[in-house]
Amino acid sequence: MSGTSSPGPAPDTLELAALLCSRVCHDLISPVGAIVNGLEVLDDNPKPEDRDFALDLIRKSAKTASARLQFCRLAFGAAGSAGAQIDLGDAQTMARGHIEDGKITITWNLPRLLLPKNRVKLLLNMLIIAQQTIPRGGTLTIDPIGDGETMGFRVTSSGLNARVPQNIADLVSASSTAAVDAHAVQPYYTRLLAQACGLSVTLALDGEKVLVTAS
């Protein structure tokens, strides 16, 4: 029997919601668990040095959890009513808080303006994909394609051993029939956002860089 999974149908609305919830929980479980561990250390009447370590762990983990939660709320959540617009300046703040972790830095070349929420959500999800193309860290450079409310985006990933994960490239493709599970839902959701904006997302290797483009 083959160990590969066969293509599956696109998830229905309820399944898509459940898969996205699983994705958010996956992003939050690590820092929240670290906070719990830190509190358990404090409950054990630790030595001063252990107490300082626990408090530092709690502070850092709480900051990480807050940044991830704010990012996920915008990237995956409703983020206002239908037709709402989102400030690209706010998106930049949330992207830096979530992605810049000492390994990855962001160069943000977008103007500060309001864009339709699905277009901003698309950008944030493109950043998640671009982050996965430089597993050893590097720089993500975000440039506009066009201007105004019909603006598209190009995210250039620069880092050691930059690569195009084929499974992600397949999932963002409109012709993909790959099965969608909790691991695959984010690039699949990116594809849905692009389609809602009248765009398509592509990944391409350009020398030692990866271009993630929505146009």
Side-chain angles (χ1 to χ4, degrees):
M1 177 180 289
S2 172
T4 60
S5 58
S6 59
D12 62 23
T13 304
L14 285 175
E15 186 179 5
L16 179 61
L19 291 172
L20 284 173
C21 286
S22 294
R23 166 67 197 228
V24 173
C25 290
H26 176 271
D27 285 349
L28 292 175
I29 193 65
S30 177
V32 171
I35 293 171
V36 172
N37 291 339
L39 291 172
E40 289 176 346
V41 171
L42 293 179
D43 287 340
D44 290 337
N45 297 315
K47 299 176 182 178
E49 59 270 24
D50 292 335
R51 178 181 176 83
D52 290 342
F53 171 79
L55 288 173
D56 186 55
L57 176 64
I58 291 169
R59 290 190 192 97
K60 290 179 179 178
S61 300
K63 182 177 180 181
T64 298
S66 178
R68 290 186 182 181
L69 188 57
Q70 291 181 61
F71 182 92
C72 289
R73 177 177 177 270
L74 187 55
F76 305 129
S81 59
Q85 293 187 315
I86 296 173
D87 189 329
L88 278 177
D90 293 338
Q92 178 184 182
T93 299
M94 293 181 190
R96 290 189 185 281
H98 176 57
I99 292 175
E100 291 190 320
D101 58 0
K103 290 176 55 181
I104 293 180
T105 58
I106 292 175
T107 300
W108 190 275
N109 296 327
L110 302 180
R112 180 154 194 171
L113 76 163
L114 296 171
L115 285 184
K117 69 173 184 178
N118 278 347
R119 206 162 284 257
V120 178
K121 289 159 67 73
L122 170 61
L123 170 61
L124 295 181
N125 277 274
M126 288 172 63
L127 288 174
I128 297 173
I129 289 174
Q131 183 181 20
Q132 296 175 71
T133 68
I134 44 174
R136 300 184 67 176
T139 301
L140 303 180
T141 302
I142 304 102
D143 295 298
I145 299 177
D147 53 30
E149 291 195 356
T150 59
M151 179 187 298
F153 311 103
R154 176 172 290 112
V155 182
T156 304
S157 309
S158 304
L160 188 64
N161 295 333
R163 59 187 178 83
V164 175
Q166 194 56 50
N167 61 323
I168 294 178
D170 289 343
L171 283 160
V172 299
S173 169
S175 61
S176 173
T177 57
V180 179
D181 55 20
H183 296 289
V185 69
Q186 190 275 322
Y188 175 75
Y189 184 62
T190 304
R191 183 175 91 197
L192 296 182
L193 287 169
Q195 290 172 345
C197 296
L199 303 172
S200 60
V201 176
T202 59
L203 281 74
L205 189 64
D206 181 18
E208 297 180 351
K209 300 178 180 180
V210 174
L211 307 180
V212 183
T213 305
S215 61

